[in-house]
Amino acid sequence: MTLHTGRHFLQIPGPTNVPDRVLRAMDMPNMDHRGPEFAELGHAVLAGIKRIFRTKQPVIIYPSSGTGAWEAAIVNTLSPGDKVLMAETGQFAVLWRNMADRFKLDVEFLPTDWRRGADVGQIEAKLAADRQHTIKAVMVVHNETSTSCVTHPLEVRKALDRAKHPALFMVDTISGLASLEYEHDAWGIDVSVCGSQKGMMLPAGLGFNAISEKALAASKTNRGMRSYWDWAEMIANNKLGTFPYTPATNLLFALKEAIAMLEEEGLDNVFARHIRHGSATRAAVKAWGLDLVCLDPHCYSPALTAVMVPEGHDADALRKVVLENFDMSLGAGLGKIKGKAFRIGHIGHLNGLMLMGTLAGVEMGLDLANIPHRSGGVQAAMDVLKARDVASVPKSKVAIA
Ligand SMILES: *Cc1c(COP(=O)(O)O)cnc(C)c1O
């Protein structure tokens, strides 16, 4: 039996810590999802989630994990044989690609070494060379949760525009939304895919598709098969504040509360907080003398930090020591960096002292697991946090913090 005295530290990059306010909001009896009281909730969350994606277009809410929302993006807009361009930024990009393969899409998968974002220059070159416009979609992962490398969606959008290519632009922002700056409309994104258990601070169980007019038009002419994931039925029902099948009502209560919390703090302050926590965490890693998985500072993730352990050492042994001694869960290395890296989640409902506890746990764990490192990481992170409190970060500094 595992005993928890005080709070368990859930410092994996999703599912993240659920705020007490959100837990209380979802503690409700079941209700009639065809009744008037439900429609009020339905309208409120359908309007609220648009403000989080920064879109005026429809956002579809599924009772699903993020993987379901990936599938919805594919089956609504694409059919077997369609050519798509994807970028191998890490394990989540690989999983989305595997799904595209199963739907018989013709995938061109542009490689990276898993230590940076997508190669935007290469994407642009492929688009420019595709004069017949056979590429139907460009699909990238915004915040690659396996490597803590960001691909900036606006840069990819600009590449599409420079190549004057009409492909749909689809972005997995499952661990990006509500922790990293995100603009569905202003960045010209056709389908944004998200899930509830990362930056949105909810339990798993809601999947989101934010869609553009162009994506909606593509779905209307797309003859590919789909039923459960069909946008058209969702949109028709959503106009009345209802859903075509039983929604995850209690998670919608939770969603309403999470949106209220994000808006009370202000989305720009949420983004600044994540940037600050990312900087503090990387300062700790640097002081420990360990390597970040991400080699390109332009791609550092504000949501989590993936850290390499030195050659010959086992990242999973470190995670085990930290869990057993300090009741803290850290993220495992995924895919080809399993055992070679661990991930510190600083996404979602978190403050500076929770981060300090997290980093203290990692530093003690490095000692106990006999992983070669220097001390002083916690101090280095404190120095970063002391230098900038939430209220005093001017907006213009946010981007370079
Ligand atoms: C978590 C995650 C997923 C998978 O979402 P599930 O809810 O586990 O299905 C996909 N992509 C990214 C970037 C993620 O972080």
Side-chain angles (χ1 to χ4, degrees):
M1 187 174 72
T2 308
L3 285 174
H4 302 286
T5 56
R7 291 258 169 146
H8 172 67
F9 267 57
L10 183 66
Q11 299 312 132
I12 60 176
T16 63
N17 294 288
V18 180
D20 292 349
R21 269 176 69 177
V22 169
L23 289 174
R24 284 195 290 270
M26 61 190 287
D27 182 6
M28 295 285 279
N30 273 341
M31 67 151 67
D32 173 11
H33 61 287
R34 310 257 178 230
E37 205 180 328
F38 179 85
E40 221 173 280
L41 172 66
H43 282 304
V45 292
L46 287 162
I49 194 66
K50 290 186 192 194
R51 299 192 296 272
I52 305 300
F53 279 100
R54 290 182 164 157
T55 180
K56 303 252 184 285
Q57 330 270 346
V59 178
I60 311 293
I61 306 176
Y62 296 106
S64 79
S65 81
T67 301
W70 264 350
E71 180 160 335
I74 289 175
V75 297
N76 277 282
T77 58
L78 299 166
S79 327
D82 282 351
K83 189 170 162 71
V84 299
L85 205 54
M86 302 178 87
E88 187 193 348
T89 45
Q91 180 66 7
F92 288 101
V94 166
L95 294 175
W96 203 10
R97 195 283 304 266
N98 291 349
M99 178 185 272
D101 278 347
R102 285 185 212 115
F103 283 105
K104 305 274 187 276
L105 302 183
D106 173 10
V107 182
E108 177 156 14
F109 204 32
L110 304 176
T112 77
D113 57 2
W114 287 37
R115 302 195 73 168
R116 62 202 76 239
D119 183 341
V120 178
Q122 204 185 6
I123 292 175
E124 183 172 346
K126 292 284 177 193
L127 291 168
D130 178 35
R131 298 204 196 288
Q132 308 299 318
H133 295 164
T134 56
I135 298 170
K136 295 292 176 228
V138 175
M139 301 159 74
V140 299
V141 176
H142 178 201
N143 185 66
E144 176 50 82
T145 324
S146 62
T147 64
S148 64
C149 298
V150 169
T151 295
H152 298 285
L154 182 59
E155 293 177 2
V156 180
R157 173 77 261 167
K158 286 179 175 167
L160 276 147
D161 291 348
R162 277 192 300 269
K164 298 195 169 53
H165 200 292
L168 292 170
F169 180 31
M170 306 210 218
V171 178
D172 165 349
T173 187
I174 294 180
S175 66
L177 192 77
S179 54
L180 279 63
E181 186 185 8
Y182 197 79
E183 299 274 353
H184 178 85
D185 285 358
W187 293 352
I189 292 159
D190 292 303
V191 186
S192 296
V193 177
C194 194
S196 52
Q197 77 275 24
K198 315 261 169 106
M200 291 305 295
M201 313 182 289
L202 305 176
L206 295 179
F208 306 97
N209 277 178
I211 59 188
S212 69
E213 264 173 43
K214 188 167 141 189
L216 192 57
S219 76
K220 285 181 180 152
T221 54
N222 176 26
R223 296 170 56 81
M225 279 188 286
R226 74 275 191 187
S227 166
Y228 183 81
W229 303 112
D230 191 19
W231 289 342
E233 273 215 53
M234 272 285 191
I235 290 170
N237 278 264
N238 285 173
K239 291 203 166 94
L240 306 171
T242 56
F243 290 78
Y245 40 79
T246 316
T249 303
N250 290 55
L251 287 176
L252 297 180
F253 279 115
L255 176 60
K256 189 171 171 219
E257 191 68 16
I259 292 170
M261 290 181 71
L262 290 167
E263 293 188 326
E264 281 165 28
E265 183 176 357
L267 276 179
D268 288 333
N269 293 324
V270 172
F271 304 148
R273 170 165 58 83
H274 283 83
I275 288 171
R276 201 169 53 253
H277 289 165
S279 306
T281 303
R282 289 190 302 276
V285 174
K286 192 170 167 210
W288 290 326
L290 298 179
D291 291 333
L292 299 168
V293 171
C294 186
L295 294 177
D296 180 358
H298 181 59
C299 303
Y300 286 159
S301 172
L304 78 149
T305 302
V307 184
M308 304 294 295
V309 294
E311 206 51 61
H313 292 268
D314 179 4
D316 291 333
L318 167 70
R319 293 193 315 110
K320 185 164 184 279
V321 161
V322 169
L323 179 63
E324 287 174 357
N325 288 275
F326 308 116
D327 196 17
M328 175 163 74
S329 299
L330 294 169
L334 298 178
K336 69 181 187 188
I337 51 176
K338 180 171 168 37
K340 298 187 164 89
F342 65 97
R343 296 173 300 149
I344 304 170
H346 32 83
I347 173 171
H349 185 59
L350 196 78
N351 60 34
L353 290 188
M354 290 164 76
L355 183 67
M356 291 319 305
T358 300
L359 296 174
V362 174
E363 190 161 327
M364 291 188 286
L366 290 167
D367 276 335
L368 293 177
N370 294 315
I371 292 184
H373 69 286
R374 295 190 299 266
S375 59
V378 170
Q379 182 62 55
M382 285 199 289
D383 292 342
V384 172
L385 290 185
K386 267 189 299 190
R388 346 152 160 254
D389 69 272
V390 181
S392 70
V393 179
K395 226 184 131 188
S396 60
K397 294 266 176 66
V398 165
I400 53 158

Short mmCIF file of all heavy atoms in Angstrom, two decimals, residues 148-201:
data_model
loop_
_atom_site.label_atom_id
_atom_site.label_comp_id
_atom_site.label_asym_id
_atom_site.label_seq_id
_atom_site.Cartn_x
_atom_site.Cartn_y
_atom_site.Cartn_z
N SER A 148 10.35 17.78 -25.08
CA SER A 148 10.27 19.19 -24.65
C SER A 148 10.84 20.14 -25.70
O SER A 148 11.45 21.13 -25.36
CB SER A 148 10.87 19.43 -23.25
OG SER A 148 12.25 19.17 -23.18
N CYS A 149 10.58 19.82 -26.96
CA CYS A 149 10.92 20.72 -28.06
C CYS A 149 9.65 21.26 -28.71
O CYS A 149 8.73 20.49 -29.00
CB CYS A 149 11.74 20.00 -29.13
SG CYS A 149 13.31 19.36 -28.55
N VAL A 150 9.62 22.56 -28.94
CA VAL A 150 8.45 23.22 -29.53
C VAL A 150 8.68 23.43 -31.02
O VAL A 150 9.78 23.78 -31.44
CB VAL A 150 8.23 24.59 -28.83
CG1 VAL A 150 7.21 25.42 -29.58
CG2 VAL A 150 7.83 24.38 -27.37
N THR A 151 7.63 23.19 -31.82
CA THR A 151 7.60 23.66 -33.20
C THR A 151 6.64 24.84 -33.23
O THR A 151 5.48 24.70 -32.82
CB THR A 151 7.11 22.54 -34.15
OG1 THR A 151 8.07 21.47 -34.12
CG2 THR A 151 6.95 23.05 -35.57
N HIS A 152 7.11 26.00 -33.65
CA HIS A 152 6.27 27.20 -33.60
C HIS A 152 5.29 27.19 -34.78
O HIS A 152 5.73 27.31 -35.94
CB HIS A 152 7.16 28.44 -33.62
CG HIS A 152 8.08 28.52 -32.43
ND1 HIS A 152 7.63 28.86 -31.17
CD2 HIS A 152 9.40 28.24 -32.28
CE1 HIS A 152 8.64 28.82 -30.31
NE2 HIS A 152 9.72 28.43 -30.95
N PRO A 153 3.99 27.06 -34.49
CA PRO A 153 3.02 26.91 -35.58
C PRO A 153 3.03 28.09 -36.56
O PRO A 153 2.88 27.88 -37.77
CB PRO A 153 1.67 26.82 -34.86
CG PRO A 153 2.01 26.32 -33.49
CD PRO A 153 3.34 26.93 -33.17
N LEU A 154 3.26 29.30 -36.05
CA LEU A 154 3.23 30.46 -36.95
C LEU A 154 4.34 30.36 -38.00
O LEU A 154 4.15 30.78 -39.15
CB LEU A 154 3.34 31.75 -36.14
CG LEU A 154 3.28 33.05 -36.96
CD1 LEU A 154 1.97 33.15 -37.74
CD2 LEU A 154 3.41 34.26 -36.03
N GLU A 155 5.48 29.79 -37.63
CA GLU A 155 6.58 29.65 -38.59
C GLU A 155 6.19 28.68 -39.71
O GLU A 155 6.52 28.88 -40.88
CB GLU A 155 7.85 29.17 -37.88
CG GLU A 155 8.40 30.22 -36.93
CD GLU A 155 9.62 29.75 -36.15
OE1 GLU A 155 10.09 28.61 -36.36
OE2 GLU A 155 10.09 30.54 -35.30
N VAL A 156 5.46 27.61 -39.33
CA VAL A 156 5.02 26.65 -40.34
C VAL A 156 3.95 27.29 -41.23
O VAL A 156 3.95 27.12 -42.46
CB VAL A 156 4.48 25.36 -39.67
CG1 VAL A 156 4.02 24.36 -40.72
CG2 VAL A 156 5.54 24.75 -38.76
N ARG A 157 3.06 28.06 -40.61
CA ARG A 157 2.04 28.78 -41.39
C ARG A 157 2.69 29.66 -42.45
O ARG A 157 2.28 29.70 -43.60
CB ARG A 157 1.17 29.63 -40.44
CG ARG A 157 0.17 30.55 -41.11
CD ARG A 157 -1.04 29.78 -41.61
NE ARG A 157 -0.97 29.47 -43.02
CZ ARG A 157 -1.79 28.61 -43.63
NH1 ARG A 157 -2.70 27.93 -42.96
NH2 ARG A 157 -1.68 28.39 -44.90
N LYS A 158 3.73 30.39 -42.01
CA LYS A 158 4.42 31.30 -42.95
C LYS A 158 5.07 30.53 -44.09
O LYS A 158 5.12 31.01 -45.22
CB LYS A 158 5.44 32.16 -42.21
CG LYS A 158 4.76 33.25 -41.37
CD LYS A 158 5.79 34.07 -40.61
CE LYS A 158 5.12 35.23 -39.88
NZ LYS A 158 6.04 35.85 -38.90
N ALA A 159 5.56 29.32 -43.78
CA ALA A 159 6.17 28.49 -44.82
C ALA A 159 5.10 28.09 -45.85
O ALA A 159 5.34 28.13 -47.07
CB ALA A 159 6.82 27.24 -44.21
N LEU A 160 3.92 27.70 -45.36
CA LEU A 160 2.82 27.37 -46.28
C LEU A 160 2.48 28.57 -47.15
O LEU A 160 2.26 28.44 -48.36
CB LEU A 160 1.57 26.97 -45.46
CG LEU A 160 1.50 25.51 -45.00
CD1 LEU A 160 0.79 25.40 -43.64
CD2 LEU A 160 0.77 24.66 -46.02
N ASP A 161 2.44 29.74 -46.53
CA ASP A 161 2.05 30.96 -47.27
C ASP A 161 3.11 31.32 -48.31
O ASP A 161 2.78 31.67 -49.44
CB ASP A 161 1.84 32.13 -46.30
CG ASP A 161 0.59 31.93 -45.43
OD1 ASP A 161 -0.20 31.02 -45.74
OD2 ASP A 161 0.43 32.67 -44.44
N ARG A 162 4.38 31.23 -47.91
CA ARG A 162 5.44 31.57 -48.87
C ARG A 162 5.41 30.63 -50.07
O ARG A 162 5.65 31.04 -51.19
CB ARG A 162 6.82 31.52 -48.20
CG ARG A 162 7.18 32.79 -47.43
CD ARG A 162 8.66 32.79 -47.05
NE ARG A 162 9.01 31.66 -46.22
CZ ARG A 162 8.98 31.66 -44.88
NH1 ARG A 162 8.63 32.75 -44.22
NH2 ARG A 162 9.31 30.57 -44.21
N ALA A 163 5.10 29.35 -49.81
CA ALA A 163 5.03 28.38 -50.90
C ALA A 163 3.69 28.48 -51.64
O ALA A 163 3.48 27.75 -52.61
CB ALA A 163 5.22 26.96 -50.35
N LYS A 164 2.82 29.35 -51.16
CA LYS A 164 1.47 29.52 -51.75
C LYS A 164 0.79 28.16 -51.92
O LYS A 164 0.24 27.85 -52.96
CB LYS A 164 1.55 30.25 -53.10
CG LYS A 164 2.13 31.65 -53.00
CD LYS A 164 1.85 32.43 -54.28
CE LYS A 164 2.16 33.90 -54.15
NZ LYS A 164 3.53 34.22 -53.66
N HIS A 165 0.89 27.34 -50.86
CA HIS A 165 0.36 25.98 -50.94
C HIS A 165 -0.97 25.88 -50.19
O HIS A 165 -1.09 26.37 -49.07
CB HIS A 165 1.38 24.99 -50.34
CG HIS A 165 1.15 23.59 -50.79
ND1 HIS A 165 0.05 22.86 -50.41
CD2 HIS A 165 1.86 22.80 -51.63
CE1 HIS A 165 0.10 21.67 -50.98
NE2 HIS A 165 1.19 21.61 -51.73
N PRO A 166 -1.97 25.26 -50.82
CA PRO A 166 -3.31 25.23 -50.21
C PRO A 166 -3.54 24.10 -49.21
O PRO A 166 -4.67 23.92 -48.75
CB PRO A 166 -4.22 25.03 -51.44
CG PRO A 166 -3.39 24.21 -52.38
CD PRO A 166 -1.96 24.65 -52.17
N ALA A 167 -2.51 23.34 -48.84
CA ALA A 167 -2.72 22.21 -47.92
C ALA A 167 -3.35 22.69 -46.61
O ALA A 167 -3.10 23.81 -46.16
CB ALA A 167 -1.37 21.54 -47.62
N LEU A 168 -4.14 21.82 -46.01
CA LEU A 168 -4.66 22.10 -44.67
C LEU A 168 -3.49 22.07 -43.69
O LEU A 168 -2.55 21.29 -43.86
CB LEU A 168 -5.68 21.04 -44.26
CG LEU A 168 -7.00 21.03 -45.03
CD1 LEU A 168 -7.80 19.76 -44.65
CD2 LEU A 168 -7.83 22.28 -44.74
N PHE A 169 -3.59 22.88 -42.65
CA PHE A 169 -2.53 22.92 -41.62
C PHE A 169 -3.13 22.45 -40.30
O PHE A 169 -4.03 23.08 -39.75
CB PHE A 169 -2.00 24.35 -41.52
CG PHE A 169 -0.90 24.52 -40.50
CD1 PHE A 169 -0.01 23.49 -40.19
CD2 PHE A 169 -0.73 25.74 -39.85
CE1 PHE A 169 1.00 23.66 -39.26
CE2 PHE A 169 0.28 25.92 -38.91
CZ PHE A 169 1.14 24.87 -38.61
N MET A 170 -2.65 21.30 -39.84
CA MET A 170 -3.19 20.70 -38.61
C MET A 170 -2.10 20.66 -37.53
O MET A 170 -0.96 20.28 -37.80
CB MET A 170 -3.66 19.28 -38.87
CG MET A 170 -4.64 19.19 -40.04
SD MET A 170 -5.76 17.82 -39.77
CE MET A 170 -5.92 17.23 -41.43
N VAL A 171 -2.48 21.04 -36.33
CA VAL A 171 -1.52 21.13 -35.23
C VAL A 171 -2.03 20.35 -34.02
O VAL A 171 -3.15 20.56 -33.55
CB VAL A 171 -1.29 22.61 -34.83
CG1 VAL A 171 -0.32 22.70 -33.66
CG2 VAL A 171 -0.77 23.42 -36.01
N ASP A 172 -1.19 19.44 -33.52
CA ASP A 172 -1.44 18.80 -32.22
C ASP A 172 -0.92 19.76 -31.16
O ASP A 172 0.29 19.92 -31.00
CB ASP A 172 -0.68 17.45 -32.18
CG ASP A 172 -0.57 16.88 -30.75
OD1 ASP A 172 -0.87 17.59 -29.77
OD2 ASP A 172 -0.13 15.72 -30.63
N THR A 173 -1.84 20.42 -30.46
CA THR A 173 -1.43 21.28 -29.34
C THR A 173 -1.95 20.71 -28.03
O THR A 173 -2.34 21.42 -27.11
CB THR A 173 -1.85 22.75 -29.56
OG1 THR A 173 -1.28 23.57 -28.54
CG2 THR A 173 -3.37 22.93 -29.59
N ILE A 174 -1.91 19.36 -27.94
CA ILE A 174 -2.48 18.66 -26.78
C ILE A 174 -1.78 19.10 -25.50
O ILE A 174 -2.43 19.33 -24.48
CB ILE A 174 -2.41 17.13 -26.99
CG1 ILE A 174 -3.33 16.74 -28.16
CG2 ILE A 174 -2.82 16.38 -25.71
CD1 ILE A 174 -3.36 15.26 -28.50
N SER A 175 -0.45 19.27 -25.55
CA SER A 175 0.24 19.75 -24.35
C SER A 175 0.71 21.19 -24.52
O SER A 175 1.56 21.66 -23.77
CB SER A 175 1.41 18.83 -24.01
OG SER A 175 2.40 18.92 -25.03
N GLY A 176 0.16 21.88 -25.52
CA GLY A 176 0.53 23.27 -25.73
C GLY A 176 -0.56 24.23 -25.25
O GLY A 176 -0.29 25.21 -24.56
N LEU A 177 -1.79 23.92 -25.61
CA LEU A 177 -2.89 24.84 -25.32
C LEU A 177 -2.97 25.16 -23.82
O LEU A 177 -2.85 24.27 -22.98
CB LEU A 177 -4.23 24.23 -25.77
CG LEU A 177 -5.39 25.22 -25.78
CD1 LEU A 177 -5.32 26.14 -26.98
CD2 LEU A 177 -6.74 24.51 -25.73
N ALA A 178 -3.17 26.44 -23.54
CA ALA A 178 -3.34 26.93 -22.16
C ALA A 178 -2.07 26.81 -21.33
O ALA A 178 -2.09 26.93 -20.11
CB ALA A 178 -4.51 26.25 -21.44
N SER A 179 -0.93 26.58 -21.98
CA SER A 179 0.36 26.73 -21.29
C SER A 179 1.34 27.49 -22.19
O SER A 179 2.14 28.26 -21.69
CB SER A 179 0.93 25.40 -20.83
OG SER A 179 1.03 24.49 -21.89
N LEU A 180 1.24 27.26 -23.51
CA LEU A 180 2.05 28.04 -24.46
C LEU A 180 1.11 28.93 -25.26
O LEU A 180 -0.04 28.55 -25.54
CB LEU A 180 2.75 27.11 -25.46
CG LEU A 180 4.03 26.42 -25.06
CD1 LEU A 180 3.83 25.46 -23.89
CD2 LEU A 180 4.58 25.64 -26.23
N GLU A 181 1.62 30.09 -25.66
CA GLU A 181 0.83 30.99 -26.51
C GLU A 181 0.25 30.19 -27.67
O GLU A 181 0.95 29.38 -28.29
CB GLU A 181 1.75 32.11 -27.03
CG GLU A 181 0.99 33.16 -27.80
CD GLU A 181 1.92 34.19 -28.43
OE1 GLU A 181 3.15 34.01 -28.40
OE2 GLU A 181 1.38 35.17 -28.95
N TYR A 182 -1.03 30.42 -27.97
CA TYR A 182 -1.66 29.70 -29.07
C TYR A 182 -2.76 30.55 -29.68
O TYR A 182 -3.59 31.10 -28.96
CB TYR A 182 -2.24 28.35 -28.61
CG TYR A 182 -2.50 27.44 -29.78
CD1 TYR A 182 -1.46 26.73 -30.38
CD2 TYR A 182 -3.78 27.30 -30.31
CE1 TYR A 182 -1.68 25.93 -31.48
CE2 TYR A 182 -4.01 26.50 -31.42
CZ TYR A 182 -2.94 25.81 -32.00
OH TYR A 182 -3.15 25.02 -33.09
N GLU A 183 -2.77 30.65 -31.01
CA GLU A 183 -3.73 31.50 -31.74
C GLU A 183 -4.28 30.71 -32.92
O GLU A 183 -3.69 30.73 -34.00
CB GLU A 183 -3.02 32.76 -32.27
CG GLU A 183 -2.41 33.67 -31.23
CD GLU A 183 -3.42 34.67 -30.68
OE1 GLU A 183 -4.57 34.76 -31.21
OE2 GLU A 183 -3.07 35.37 -29.70
N HIS A 184 -5.42 30.06 -32.72
CA HIS A 184 -5.96 29.24 -33.81
C HIS A 184 -6.27 30.08 -35.04
O HIS A 184 -5.89 29.73 -36.15
CB HIS A 184 -7.22 28.50 -33.35
CG HIS A 184 -7.86 27.68 -34.42
ND1 HIS A 184 -7.47 26.40 -34.73
CD2 HIS A 184 -8.86 27.99 -35.30
CE1 HIS A 184 -8.21 25.94 -35.73
NE2 HIS A 184 -9.06 26.89 -36.10
N ASP A 185 -6.97 31.21 -34.87
CA ASP A 185 -7.36 32.03 -36.03
C ASP A 185 -6.19 32.83 -36.58
O ASP A 185 -5.90 32.77 -37.78
CB ASP A 185 -8.49 33.00 -35.64
CG ASP A 185 -9.84 32.28 -35.51
OD1 ASP A 185 -9.90 31.06 -35.74
OD2 ASP A 185 -10.82 32.97 -35.14
N ALA A 186 -5.52 33.57 -35.72
CA ALA A 186 -4.47 34.49 -36.19
C ALA A 186 -3.31 33.75 -36.84
O ALA A 186 -2.63 34.30 -37.70
CB ALA A 186 -3.97 35.35 -35.04
N TRP A 187 -3.07 32.52 -36.44
CA TRP A 187 -1.97 31.74 -37.03
C TRP A 187 -2.44 30.89 -38.22
O TRP A 187 -1.67 30.09 -38.74
CB TRP A 187 -1.32 30.83 -35.96
CG TRP A 187 -0.60 31.61 -34.89
CD1 TRP A 187 -0.35 32.96 -34.86
CD2 TRP A 187 -0.02 31.07 -33.68
NE1 TRP A 187 0.34 33.29 -33.71
CE2 TRP A 187 0.56 32.15 -32.97
CE3 TRP A 187 0.06 29.79 -33.14
CZ2 TRP A 187 1.20 31.98 -31.75
CZ3 TRP A 187 0.71 29.62 -31.93
CH2 TRP A 187 1.27 30.71 -31.24
N GLY A 188 -3.68 31.05 -38.62
CA GLY A 188 -4.17 30.36 -39.81
C GLY A 188 -4.12 28.84 -39.69
O GLY A 188 -3.70 28.15 -40.62
N ILE A 189 -4.54 28.33 -38.56
CA ILE A 189 -4.52 26.89 -38.36
C ILE A 189 -5.88 26.32 -38.76
O ILE A 189 -6.93 26.90 -38.46
CB ILE A 189 -4.14 26.56 -36.90
CG1 ILE A 189 -2.67 26.99 -36.71
CG2 ILE A 189 -4.32 25.07 -36.61
CD1 ILE A 189 -2.26 27.22 -35.32
N ASP A 190 -5.88 25.20 -39.48
CA ASP A 190 -7.13 24.64 -39.97
C ASP A 190 -7.75 23.66 -38.97
O ASP A 190 -8.96 23.65 -38.80
CB ASP A 190 -6.91 23.97 -41.33
CG ASP A 190 -6.60 25.02 -42.39
OD1 ASP A 190 -7.42 25.94 -42.56
OD2 ASP A 190 -5.51 24.96 -43.00
N VAL A 191 -6.93 22.82 -38.36
CA VAL A 191 -7.45 21.97 -37.30
C VAL A 191 -6.46 21.97 -36.14
O VAL A 191 -5.28 21.65 -36.32
CB VAL A 191 -7.67 20.49 -37.75
CG1 VAL A 191 -8.36 19.71 -36.63
CG2 VAL A 191 -8.49 20.42 -39.03
N SER A 192 -6.92 22.39 -34.96
CA SER A 192 -6.11 22.30 -33.74
C SER A 192 -6.65 21.15 -32.92
O SER A 192 -7.86 21.07 -32.69
CB SER A 192 -6.23 23.58 -32.91
OG SER A 192 -5.72 24.69 -33.60
N VAL A 193 -5.76 20.29 -32.47
CA VAL A 193 -6.15 19.10 -31.71
C VAL A 193 -5.70 19.27 -30.27
O VAL A 193 -4.56 19.65 -30.02
CB VAL A 193 -5.49 17.84 -32.32
CG1 VAL A 193 -5.83 16.60 -31.50
CG2 VAL A 193 -5.88 17.67 -33.77
N CYS A 194 -6.60 19.02 -29.31
CA CYS A 194 -6.20 19.12 -27.91
C CYS A 194 -6.91 18.07 -27.06
O CYS A 194 -7.88 17.43 -27.50
CB CYS A 194 -6.48 20.53 -27.38
SG CYS A 194 -5.67 20.88 -25.80
N GLY A 195 -6.41 17.90 -25.85
CA GLY A 195 -7.02 17.01 -24.86
C GLY A 195 -7.11 17.75 -23.54
O GLY A 195 -6.50 18.81 -23.37
N SER A 196 -7.82 17.19 -22.58
CA SER A 196 -8.17 17.97 -21.39
C SER A 196 -7.15 17.89 -20.26
O SER A 196 -7.16 18.73 -19.36
CB SER A 196 -9.54 17.51 -20.87
OG SER A 196 -9.58 16.10 -20.71
N GLN A 197 -6.25 16.89 -20.27
CA GLN A 197 -5.49 16.59 -19.04
C GLN A 197 -4.09 17.18 -18.98
O GLN A 197 -3.26 16.75 -18.19
CB GLN A 197 -5.41 15.07 -18.85
CG GLN A 197 -4.43 14.32 -19.73
CD GLN A 197 -4.99 13.97 -21.09
OE1 GLN A 197 -5.90 14.59 -21.58
NE2 GLN A 197 -4.43 12.95 -21.72
N LYS A 198 -3.82 18.19 -19.81
CA LYS A 198 -2.49 18.81 -19.76
C LYS A 198 -2.66 20.26 -19.29
O LYS A 198 -3.02 20.48 -18.15
CB LYS A 198 -1.83 18.69 -21.14
CG LYS A 198 -1.98 17.29 -21.76
CD LYS A 198 -0.78 16.39 -21.61
CE LYS A 198 -1.06 14.97 -22.00
NZ LYS A 198 -0.49 14.54 -23.27
N GLY A 199 -2.45 21.22 -20.18
CA GLY A 199 -2.58 22.62 -19.77
C GLY A 199 -3.98 22.99 -19.30
O GLY A 199 -4.15 23.95 -18.55
N MET A 200 -4.98 22.26 -19.73
CA MET A 200 -6.36 22.57 -19.34
C MET A 200 -6.67 22.14 -17.91
O MET A 200 -7.75 22.46 -17.39
CB MET A 200 -7.37 21.95 -20.32
CG MET A 200 -7.36 22.56 -21.72
SD MET A 200 -7.63 24.36 -21.74
CE MET A 200 -9.28 24.48 -21.10
N MET A 201 -5.76 21.39 -17.28
CA MET A 201 -5.84 21.10 -15.83
C MET A 201 -7.02 20.21 -15.43
O MET A 201 -7.45 20.22 -14.28
CB MET A 201 -5.92 22.40 -15.00
CG MET A 201 -4.92 23.47 -15.38
SD MET A 201 -5.02 24.95 -14.35
CE MET A 201 -6.56 25.69 -14.87
#
